[in-house]
Short mmCIF file of all heavy atoms in Angstrom, two decimals:
data_model
loop_
_atom_site.label_atom_id
_atom_site.label_comp_id
_atom_site.label_asym_id
_atom_site.label_seq_id
_atom_site.Cartn_x
_atom_site.Cartn_y
_atom_site.Cartn_z
N MET A 1 -1.42 -8.48 -14.40
CA MET A 1 -0.50 -7.78 -13.56
C MET A 1 -0.71 -6.28 -13.24
O MET A 1 -1.16 -5.55 -14.13
CB MET A 1 0.95 -8.04 -14.30
CG MET A 1 2.14 -7.53 -13.41
SD MET A 1 3.66 -7.94 -14.25
CE MET A 1 4.71 -7.29 -13.07
N ASN A 2 -0.31 -5.95 -12.16
CA ASN A 2 -0.49 -4.50 -11.77
C ASN A 2 0.37 -3.64 -12.49
O ASN A 2 1.59 -3.86 -12.48
CB ASN A 2 -0.29 -4.25 -10.29
CG ASN A 2 -0.75 -3.08 -9.71
OD1 ASN A 2 -1.04 -2.08 -10.44
ND2 ASN A 2 -0.67 -2.86 -8.32
N LYS A 3 -0.11 -2.53 -13.23
CA LYS A 3 0.72 -1.76 -14.02
C LYS A 3 1.26 -0.64 -13.19
O LYS A 3 1.95 0.31 -13.77
CB LYS A 3 -0.04 -1.26 -15.29
CG LYS A 3 -0.31 -2.28 -16.25
CD LYS A 3 0.96 -2.76 -16.82
CE LYS A 3 0.93 -2.75 -18.35
NZ LYS A 3 2.13 -3.28 -18.90
N LYS A 4 0.76 -0.50 -11.87
CA LYS A 4 1.31 0.68 -11.03
C LYS A 4 2.85 0.48 -10.92
O LYS A 4 3.36 -0.49 -10.82
CB LYS A 4 0.58 0.66 -9.71
CG LYS A 4 0.78 1.97 -8.96
CD LYS A 4 0.15 1.76 -7.69
CE LYS A 4 -1.30 1.80 -7.72
NZ LYS A 4 -2.03 1.82 -6.42
N SER A 5 3.49 1.73 -10.84
CA SER A 5 4.95 1.71 -10.88
C SER A 5 5.41 1.30 -9.43
O SER A 5 4.71 1.25 -8.36
CB SER A 5 5.39 3.05 -11.06
OG SER A 5 5.36 3.91 -9.98
N VAL A 6 6.62 0.86 -9.42
CA VAL A 6 7.18 0.45 -8.14
C VAL A 6 7.28 1.66 -7.24
O VAL A 6 7.00 1.47 -5.92
CB VAL A 6 8.77 -0.01 -8.46
CG1 VAL A 6 9.54 -0.28 -7.20
CG2 VAL A 6 8.73 -1.23 -9.33
N ILE A 7 7.61 2.82 -7.70
CA ILE A 7 7.60 3.99 -6.86
C ILE A 7 6.29 4.30 -6.08
O ILE A 7 6.16 4.54 -4.99
CB ILE A 7 8.22 5.29 -7.63
CG1 ILE A 7 9.64 5.07 -7.95
CG2 ILE A 7 7.94 6.49 -6.78
CD1 ILE A 7 10.20 6.15 -8.91
N ARG A 8 5.16 4.03 -6.98
CA ARG A 8 3.87 4.39 -6.33
C ARG A 8 3.52 3.28 -5.43
O ARG A 8 2.96 3.50 -4.41
CB ARG A 8 2.86 4.57 -7.48
CG ARG A 8 2.91 6.05 -8.01
CD ARG A 8 1.99 6.26 -9.13
NE ARG A 8 2.57 5.78 -10.31
CZ ARG A 8 1.98 5.26 -11.42
NH1 ARG A 8 0.53 5.25 -11.43
NH2 ARG A 8 2.69 4.90 -12.47
N ASN A 9 4.00 2.09 -5.73
CA ASN A 9 3.71 0.97 -4.72
C ASN A 9 4.36 1.33 -3.32
O ASN A 9 3.95 1.04 -2.28
CB ASN A 9 4.15 -0.39 -5.33
CG ASN A 9 3.14 -0.92 -6.21
OD1 ASN A 9 1.98 -0.60 -6.26
ND2 ASN A 9 3.64 -1.68 -7.21
N LEU A 10 5.66 1.78 -3.49
CA LEU A 10 6.39 2.00 -2.22
C LEU A 10 5.71 3.21 -1.51
O LEU A 10 5.60 3.20 -0.25
CB LEU A 10 7.74 2.32 -2.56
CG LEU A 10 8.66 1.11 -3.01
CD1 LEU A 10 9.92 1.67 -3.71
CD2 LEU A 10 8.89 0.13 -2.04
N VAL A 11 5.38 4.12 -2.13
CA VAL A 11 4.64 5.32 -1.68
C VAL A 11 3.29 4.89 -0.86
O VAL A 11 3.03 5.29 0.27
CB VAL A 11 4.26 6.42 -2.66
CG1 VAL A 11 3.34 7.42 -2.07
CG2 VAL A 11 5.57 7.13 -3.02
N ASN A 12 2.56 4.04 -1.63
CA ASN A 12 1.31 3.46 -0.99
C ASN A 12 1.69 2.65 0.24
O ASN A 12 0.92 2.67 1.24
CB ASN A 12 0.54 2.63 -2.02
CG ASN A 12 -0.14 3.35 -3.04
OD1 ASN A 12 -0.41 4.60 -2.88
ND2 ASN A 12 -0.39 2.78 -4.14
N ARG A 13 2.82 1.96 0.26
CA ARG A 13 3.05 1.17 1.38
C ARG A 13 3.42 2.07 2.57
O ARG A 13 2.99 1.90 3.77
CB ARG A 13 4.34 0.35 1.14
CG ARG A 13 4.81 -0.56 2.32
CD ARG A 13 6.02 -1.42 2.00
NE ARG A 13 5.95 -2.07 0.72
CZ ARG A 13 7.12 -2.70 0.38
NH1 ARG A 13 8.19 -2.82 1.11
NH2 ARG A 13 7.18 -3.35 -0.86
N ALA A 14 4.16 3.20 2.30
CA ALA A 14 4.49 4.15 3.39
C ALA A 14 3.14 4.81 3.99
O ALA A 14 2.90 5.02 5.12
CB ALA A 14 5.36 5.29 2.88
N LEU A 15 2.26 5.01 3.12
CA LEU A 15 1.04 5.80 3.41
C LEU A 15 0.12 4.81 4.20
O LEU A 15 -0.52 5.09 5.16
CB LEU A 15 0.12 6.31 2.17
CG LEU A 15 0.80 7.45 1.43
CD1 LEU A 15 0.00 7.55 0.09
CD2 LEU A 15 0.74 8.72 2.33
N LEU A 16 0.12 3.52 3.86
CA LEU A 16 -0.61 2.48 4.54
C LEU A 16 -0.09 2.33 6.02
O LEU A 16 -0.94 2.18 6.93
CB LEU A 16 -0.61 1.12 3.77
CG LEU A 16 -1.37 0.04 4.33
CD1 LEU A 16 -2.85 0.29 4.26
CD2 LEU A 16 -1.03 -1.32 3.56
N VAL A 17 1.09 2.14 6.13
CA VAL A 17 1.72 2.05 7.59
C VAL A 17 1.92 3.25 8.23
O VAL A 17 2.29 3.20 9.48
CB VAL A 17 2.96 1.09 7.40
CG1 VAL A 17 2.77 -0.25 6.88
CG2 VAL A 17 4.06 1.80 6.74
N LYS A 18 1.70 4.34 7.54
CA LYS A 18 1.76 5.68 8.18
C LYS A 18 3.26 5.89 8.72
O LYS A 18 3.37 6.71 9.65
CB LYS A 18 0.77 5.96 9.18
CG LYS A 18 -0.66 6.02 8.64
CD LYS A 18 -1.58 6.18 9.81
CE LYS A 18 -3.02 6.13 9.38
NZ LYS A 18 -3.80 6.32 8.59
N ARG A 19 4.25 5.44 7.99
CA ARG A 19 5.68 5.52 8.38
C ARG A 19 6.52 5.57 7.07
O ARG A 19 6.32 4.79 6.27
CB ARG A 19 6.03 4.35 9.23
CG ARG A 19 5.69 4.48 10.68
CD ARG A 19 6.39 3.41 11.37
NE ARG A 19 5.58 3.09 12.65
CZ ARG A 19 4.89 1.98 12.87
NH1 ARG A 19 4.88 1.08 11.93
NH2 ARG A 19 4.23 1.81 14.01
N LEU A 20 7.37 6.49 7.17
CA LEU A 20 8.43 6.46 6.03
C LEU A 20 9.69 6.22 6.67
O LEU A 20 10.32 6.79 7.40
CB LEU A 20 8.54 7.88 5.48
CG LEU A 20 9.61 7.97 4.22
CD1 LEU A 20 9.32 7.08 3.14
CD2 LEU A 20 9.53 9.49 3.74
N THR A 21 10.02 4.83 6.50
CA THR A 21 11.30 4.24 7.19
C THR A 21 12.53 4.47 6.14
O THR A 21 12.36 4.77 4.91
CB THR A 21 11.22 2.78 7.31
OG1 THR A 21 11.04 2.09 6.01
CG2 THR A 21 9.97 2.42 8.19
N PRO A 22 13.70 4.40 6.72
CA PRO A 22 14.87 4.56 5.95
C PRO A 22 14.93 3.51 4.82
O PRO A 22 15.47 3.85 3.63
CB PRO A 22 16.06 4.41 6.84
CG PRO A 22 15.50 4.76 8.25
CD PRO A 22 14.12 4.40 8.05
N GLU A 23 14.46 2.39 5.14
CA GLU A 23 14.34 1.32 4.11
C GLU A 23 13.47 1.58 2.95
O GLU A 23 13.86 1.49 1.71
CB GLU A 23 13.88 -0.09 4.60
CG GLU A 23 14.84 -0.64 5.68
CD GLU A 23 14.85 -0.04 7.06
OE1 GLU A 23 13.92 0.76 7.33
OE2 GLU A 23 15.73 -0.34 7.80
N LEU A 24 12.28 2.22 3.20
CA LEU A 24 11.44 2.68 2.12
C LEU A 24 12.12 3.80 1.31
O LEU A 24 11.97 3.80 0.11
CB LEU A 24 10.13 3.02 2.71
CG LEU A 24 9.17 1.97 2.98
CD1 LEU A 24 7.83 2.49 3.72
CD2 LEU A 24 8.69 1.02 1.70
N GLU A 25 12.61 4.70 2.02
CA GLU A 25 13.30 5.90 1.39
C GLU A 25 14.40 5.31 0.39
O GLU A 25 14.55 5.76 -0.72
CB GLU A 25 13.94 6.83 2.41
CG GLU A 25 12.89 7.80 2.92
CD GLU A 25 13.61 8.90 3.80
OE1 GLU A 25 14.07 9.90 3.18
OE2 GLU A 25 13.79 8.66 5.01
N ASN A 26 15.18 4.45 0.95
CA ASN A 26 16.34 3.82 0.14
C ASN A 26 15.75 3.06 -1.11
O ASN A 26 16.35 3.20 -2.23
CB ASN A 26 17.21 2.94 0.87
CG ASN A 26 18.12 3.72 1.93
OD1 ASN A 26 18.36 4.84 1.74
ND2 ASN A 26 18.45 3.01 3.01
N MET A 27 14.63 2.45 -0.92
CA MET A 27 14.12 1.60 -2.10
C MET A 27 13.50 2.67 -3.05
O MET A 27 13.67 2.51 -4.31
CB MET A 27 12.87 0.70 -1.58
CG MET A 27 13.61 -0.49 -0.74
SD MET A 27 12.30 -1.39 0.18
CE MET A 27 11.31 -2.04 -1.14
N ILE A 28 12.92 3.70 -2.68
CA ILE A 28 12.48 4.75 -3.58
C ILE A 28 13.62 5.40 -4.31
O ILE A 28 13.56 5.47 -5.53
CB ILE A 28 11.61 5.80 -2.86
CG1 ILE A 28 10.27 5.16 -2.35
CG2 ILE A 28 11.41 6.99 -3.75
CD1 ILE A 28 9.58 6.14 -1.42
N ASN A 29 14.61 5.76 -3.59
CA ASN A 29 15.73 6.35 -4.26
C ASN A 29 16.48 5.51 -5.18
O ASN A 29 16.93 5.93 -6.22
CB ASN A 29 16.85 6.87 -3.11
CG ASN A 29 16.21 8.02 -2.42
OD1 ASN A 29 15.52 8.88 -2.90
ND2 ASN A 29 16.74 8.23 -1.12
N GLN A 30 16.63 4.15 -4.85
CA GLN A 30 17.17 3.25 -5.81
C GLN A 30 16.40 3.14 -7.13
O GLN A 30 17.00 3.01 -8.18
CB GLN A 30 17.34 1.88 -5.08
CG GLN A 30 18.07 0.84 -5.95
CD GLN A 30 19.48 1.24 -6.24
OE1 GLN A 30 20.18 1.58 -5.29
NE2 GLN A 30 19.89 1.16 -7.51
N GLU A 31 15.10 3.10 -6.88
CA GLU A 31 14.21 3.03 -8.11
C GLU A 31 14.36 4.19 -9.00
O GLU A 31 14.45 4.04 -10.22
CB GLU A 31 12.71 2.75 -7.68
CG GLU A 31 11.98 2.48 -8.89
CD GLU A 31 12.14 1.16 -9.67
OE1 GLU A 31 12.68 0.23 -9.00
OE2 GLU A 31 11.80 1.06 -10.76
N LEU A 32 14.41 5.35 -8.34
CA LEU A 32 14.59 6.58 -9.12
C LEU A 32 15.96 6.66 -9.89
O LEU A 32 15.94 6.86 -10.99
CB LEU A 32 14.50 7.77 -8.10
CG LEU A 32 13.15 8.19 -7.54
CD1 LEU A 32 13.25 9.33 -6.58
CD2 LEU A 32 12.27 8.67 -8.80
N SER A 33 16.93 6.17 -9.18
CA SER A 33 18.24 5.98 -9.75
C SER A 33 18.16 5.04 -10.92
O SER A 33 18.91 5.27 -12.10
CB SER A 33 19.34 5.54 -8.83
OG SER A 33 19.54 6.62 -7.81
N ASP A 34 17.55 3.93 -10.83
CA ASP A 34 17.53 2.86 -11.76
C ASP A 34 16.83 3.32 -13.06
O ASP A 34 17.21 3.14 -14.24
CB ASP A 34 16.90 1.60 -11.31
CG ASP A 34 17.70 0.89 -10.30
OD1 ASP A 34 18.99 1.24 -10.05
OD2 ASP A 34 17.13 -0.11 -9.54
N GLN A 35 15.74 4.09 -12.73
CA GLN A 35 14.92 4.63 -13.84
C GLN A 35 15.54 5.72 -14.67
O GLN A 35 15.43 5.89 -15.82
CB GLN A 35 13.60 5.10 -13.37
CG GLN A 35 12.58 4.00 -12.96
CD GLN A 35 11.23 4.51 -12.57
OE1 GLN A 35 10.98 5.62 -12.73
NE2 GLN A 35 10.40 3.58 -12.07
N GLY A 36 16.20 6.62 -13.88
CA GLY A 36 16.83 7.73 -14.41
C GLY A 36 15.96 8.92 -14.81
O GLY A 36 16.41 9.88 -15.36
N TYR A 37 14.62 8.67 -14.47
CA TYR A 37 13.73 9.90 -14.72
C TYR A 37 12.56 9.52 -13.70
O TYR A 37 12.44 8.55 -13.15
CB TYR A 37 13.23 9.78 -16.16
CG TYR A 37 12.28 8.70 -16.46
CD1 TYR A 37 10.94 8.72 -16.35
CD2 TYR A 37 12.82 7.42 -16.85
CE1 TYR A 37 10.07 7.70 -16.73
CE2 TYR A 37 11.94 6.24 -17.02
CZ TYR A 37 10.79 6.40 -16.91
OH TYR A 37 9.93 5.27 -17.29
N ILE A 38 11.57 10.56 -13.69
CA ILE A 38 10.43 10.26 -12.82
C ILE A 38 9.22 10.71 -13.71
O ILE A 38 9.12 11.82 -14.36
CB ILE A 38 10.54 11.16 -11.59
CG1 ILE A 38 9.44 10.84 -10.70
CG2 ILE A 38 10.76 12.57 -11.75
CD1 ILE A 38 9.42 11.34 -9.27
N SER A 39 8.29 9.86 -13.81
CA SER A 39 6.99 10.23 -14.56
C SER A 39 6.10 11.13 -13.65
O SER A 39 6.35 11.35 -12.46
CB SER A 39 6.23 8.76 -14.74
OG SER A 39 5.74 8.37 -13.51
N ASP A 40 5.19 11.82 -14.30
CA ASP A 40 4.39 12.72 -13.74
C ASP A 40 3.59 12.09 -12.57
O ASP A 40 3.46 12.52 -11.40
CB ASP A 40 3.39 13.37 -14.65
CG ASP A 40 4.12 14.38 -15.51
OD1 ASP A 40 5.18 14.81 -15.12
OD2 ASP A 40 3.58 14.79 -16.64
N PRO A 41 2.98 10.84 -12.81
CA PRO A 41 2.22 10.22 -11.72
C PRO A 41 3.01 9.86 -10.47
O PRO A 41 2.74 9.82 -9.29
CB PRO A 41 1.54 8.90 -12.39
CG PRO A 41 1.54 9.26 -13.80
CD PRO A 41 2.85 10.14 -14.05
N ASP A 42 4.36 9.37 -10.81
CA ASP A 42 5.36 9.11 -9.76
C ASP A 42 5.71 10.39 -8.90
O ASP A 42 5.71 10.32 -7.67
CB ASP A 42 6.61 8.41 -10.23
CG ASP A 42 6.36 7.07 -10.64
OD1 ASP A 42 5.23 6.35 -10.34
OD2 ASP A 42 7.28 6.52 -11.33
N TYR A 43 5.79 11.45 -9.72
CA TYR A 43 6.20 12.70 -9.04
C TYR A 43 5.06 13.23 -8.04
O TYR A 43 5.25 13.58 -6.92
CB TYR A 43 6.55 13.85 -10.10
CG TYR A 43 6.78 15.09 -9.46
CD1 TYR A 43 8.12 15.42 -9.06
CD2 TYR A 43 5.93 16.09 -9.39
CE1 TYR A 43 8.44 16.59 -8.46
CE2 TYR A 43 6.25 17.28 -8.73
CZ TYR A 43 7.48 17.67 -8.35
OH TYR A 43 7.79 18.74 -7.77
N GLU A 44 3.90 12.97 -8.64
CA GLU A 44 2.66 13.50 -7.67
C GLU A 44 2.57 12.55 -6.48
O GLU A 44 2.12 13.12 -5.44
CB GLU A 44 1.40 13.33 -8.64
CG GLU A 44 1.40 14.45 -9.72
CD GLU A 44 0.29 14.22 -10.74
OE1 GLU A 44 -0.57 13.36 -10.49
OE2 GLU A 44 0.18 15.01 -11.71
N ALA A 45 2.76 11.31 -6.75
CA ALA A 45 2.82 10.34 -5.52
C ALA A 45 3.70 10.87 -4.47
O ALA A 45 3.47 10.80 -3.27
CB ALA A 45 2.94 8.91 -5.94
N LEU A 46 5.10 11.09 -4.87
CA LEU A 46 5.98 11.48 -3.99
C LEU A 46 5.76 12.78 -3.39
O LEU A 46 5.97 13.11 -2.17
CB LEU A 46 7.46 11.58 -4.77
CG LEU A 46 8.01 10.23 -5.05
CD1 LEU A 46 9.29 10.34 -6.06
CD2 LEU A 46 8.37 9.44 -3.93
N GLU A 47 5.15 13.72 -4.07
CA GLU A 47 4.71 15.08 -3.64
C GLU A 47 3.68 14.84 -2.57
O GLU A 47 3.75 15.51 -1.43
CB GLU A 47 4.30 15.81 -4.73
CG GLU A 47 4.05 17.33 -4.45
CD GLU A 47 3.73 18.17 -5.76
OE1 GLU A 47 2.70 17.79 -6.38
OE2 GLU A 47 4.39 19.10 -5.90
N TYR A 48 2.66 13.96 -2.80
CA TYR A 48 1.65 13.66 -1.78
C TYR A 48 2.28 13.05 -0.51
O TYR A 48 1.78 13.43 0.54
CB TYR A 48 0.61 12.72 -2.41
CG TYR A 48 -0.47 12.40 -1.57
CD1 TYR A 48 -1.64 13.36 -1.51
CD2 TYR A 48 -0.50 11.37 -0.79
CE1 TYR A 48 -2.68 13.22 -0.48
CE2 TYR A 48 -1.66 11.03 0.12
CZ TYR A 48 -2.65 11.96 0.22
OH TYR A 48 -3.76 11.77 1.06
N LEU A 49 3.17 12.25 -0.74
CA LEU A 49 3.88 11.63 0.49
C LEU A 49 4.51 12.66 1.25
O LEU A 49 4.42 12.66 2.52
CB LEU A 49 4.73 10.37 0.07
CG LEU A 49 5.64 9.78 1.18
CD1 LEU A 49 4.71 9.11 2.16
CD2 LEU A 49 6.66 8.84 0.53
N MET A 50 5.25 13.53 0.70
CA MET A 50 6.00 14.54 1.39
C MET A 50 5.05 15.49 2.14
O MET A 50 5.34 15.88 3.24
CB MET A 50 6.89 15.30 0.46
CG MET A 50 8.08 14.52 -0.01
SD MET A 50 9.15 13.89 1.21
CE MET A 50 8.68 12.12 1.29
N GLN A 51 3.90 15.85 1.47
CA GLN A 51 2.89 16.56 2.14
C GLN A 51 2.24 16.00 3.38
O GLN A 51 2.20 16.54 4.42
CB GLN A 51 1.83 16.95 1.20
CG GLN A 51 2.05 17.96 0.11
CD GLN A 51 1.06 18.15 -0.94
OE1 GLN A 51 0.08 17.45 -0.95
NE2 GLN A 51 1.20 19.13 -1.76
N ALA A 52 2.09 14.62 3.29
CA ALA A 52 1.62 13.70 4.40
C ALA A 52 2.63 13.74 5.54
O ALA A 52 2.23 13.91 6.59
CB ALA A 52 1.27 12.45 3.91
N VAL A 53 3.86 13.86 5.17
CA VAL A 53 4.84 13.69 6.23
C VAL A 53 4.90 15.11 6.94
O VAL A 53 4.85 15.26 8.16
CB VAL A 53 6.30 13.45 5.58
CG1 VAL A 53 7.47 13.79 6.72
CG2 VAL A 53 6.37 11.99 5.19
N GLU A 54 4.93 16.24 6.09
CA GLU A 54 4.83 17.58 6.57
C GLU A 54 3.57 17.87 7.56
O GLU A 54 3.71 18.57 8.57
CB GLU A 54 4.83 18.56 5.52
CG GLU A 54 6.23 18.66 4.88
CD GLU A 54 6.13 19.54 3.59
OE1 GLU A 54 5.20 20.17 3.29
OE2 GLU A 54 7.16 19.52 2.92
N GLN A 55 2.54 17.16 7.17
CA GLN A 55 1.32 17.37 7.88
C GLN A 55 1.17 16.52 9.23
O GLN A 55 0.22 16.60 9.95
CB GLN A 55 0.01 17.17 7.10
CG GLN A 55 -0.13 18.23 5.92
CD GLN A 55 -1.21 17.94 4.92
OE1 GLN A 55 -1.73 16.89 4.98
NE2 GLN A 55 -1.31 18.82 3.93
N GLY A 56 2.07 15.51 9.19
CA GLY A 56 2.12 14.65 10.36
C GLY A 56 1.11 13.41 10.19
O GLY A 56 0.85 12.56 11.07
N LYS A 57 0.80 13.21 8.97
CA LYS A 57 -0.15 12.10 8.65
C LYS A 57 0.70 10.80 8.55
O LYS A 57 0.25 9.66 8.64
CB LYS A 57 -1.02 12.32 7.44
CG LYS A 57 -1.91 13.41 7.59
CD LYS A 57 -2.74 13.66 6.25
CE LYS A 57 -3.73 14.79 6.53
NZ LYS A 57 -4.47 15.15 5.28
N VAL A 58 1.95 11.13 8.10
CA VAL A 58 2.89 9.94 8.03
C VAL A 58 4.12 10.32 8.82
O VAL A 58 4.69 11.54 8.54
CB VAL A 58 3.24 9.73 6.46
CG1 VAL A 58 4.53 8.75 6.35
CG2 VAL A 58 1.99 9.27 5.60
N ARG A 59 4.62 9.51 9.62
CA ARG A 59 5.72 9.75 10.38
C ARG A 59 7.04 9.32 9.80
O ARG A 59 7.12 8.03 9.34
CB ARG A 59 5.53 9.00 11.74
CG ARG A 59 6.37 9.54 12.99
CD ARG A 59 5.87 8.89 14.23
NE ARG A 59 5.81 7.39 14.18
CZ ARG A 59 6.53 6.60 14.85
NH1 ARG A 59 7.24 7.05 15.66
NH2 ARG A 59 6.22 5.26 14.72
N GLN A 60 8.05 10.21 9.67
CA GLN A 60 9.32 9.74 9.16
C GLN A 60 10.15 9.24 10.28
O GLN A 60 10.35 9.89 11.31
CB GLN A 60 10.03 10.93 8.52
CG GLN A 60 11.18 10.57 7.70
CD GLN A 60 11.72 11.79 6.80
OE1 GLN A 60 11.27 12.83 7.12
NE2 GLN A 60 12.52 11.45 5.97
N VAL A 61 10.47 8.00 10.20
CA VAL A 61 11.22 7.37 11.42
C VAL A 61 12.70 7.12 10.95
O VAL A 61 13.03 6.80 9.80
CB VAL A 61 10.50 6.05 11.83
CG1 VAL A 61 9.20 6.41 12.36
CG2 VAL A 61 10.50 5.11 10.60
N SER A 62 13.54 7.02 12.00
CA SER A 62 14.96 6.90 11.75
C SER A 62 15.31 5.36 11.61
O SER A 62 16.26 4.97 11.05
CB SER A 62 15.75 7.50 12.77
OG SER A 62 15.51 7.05 14.07
N GLN A 63 14.44 4.52 12.29
CA GLN A 63 14.61 3.07 12.20
C GLN A 63 13.30 2.41 12.36
O GLN A 63 12.26 3.01 12.87
CB GLN A 63 15.56 2.54 13.33
CG GLN A 63 15.16 2.87 14.65
CD GLN A 63 16.15 2.50 15.67
OE1 GLN A 63 17.17 1.85 15.25
NE2 GLN A 63 16.05 2.88 16.96
N VAL A 64 13.24 1.17 11.92
CA VAL A 64 12.07 0.37 11.98
C VAL A 64 11.67 -0.05 13.45
O VAL A 64 12.68 -0.51 14.12
CB VAL A 64 12.01 -0.86 11.25
CG1 VAL A 64 10.73 -1.70 11.31
CG2 VAL A 64 12.34 -0.50 9.72
N SER A 65 10.59 0.33 14.06
CA SER A 65 10.26 0.05 15.40
C SER A 65 9.75 -1.43 15.51
O SER A 65 9.05 -1.81 14.59
CB SER A 65 9.29 0.95 15.94
OG SER A 65 8.10 0.92 15.26
N GLN A 66 10.05 -2.10 16.58
CA GLN A 66 9.62 -3.63 16.64
C GLN A 66 8.61 -3.68 17.80
O GLN A 66 8.29 -3.03 18.53
CB GLN A 66 10.77 -4.40 16.85
CG GLN A 66 11.78 -4.30 15.65
CD GLN A 66 12.76 -5.28 15.70
OE1 GLN A 66 13.09 -5.90 16.82
NE2 GLN A 66 13.43 -5.53 14.57
#
């Protein structure tokens, strides 16, 4: 079984599709709330995602395009 965290899996999904959707954001936030803490690797993944958004490598969208 993959030992990678749910948060890192969600971040990887956003990086793969080059979009940060509200659904992905909500899933990440829910996982953070459920865990009650953030590990260093998860923090680094989220930091990388935010940098990618700021640099325009990942687009933050308000809704899923069809």
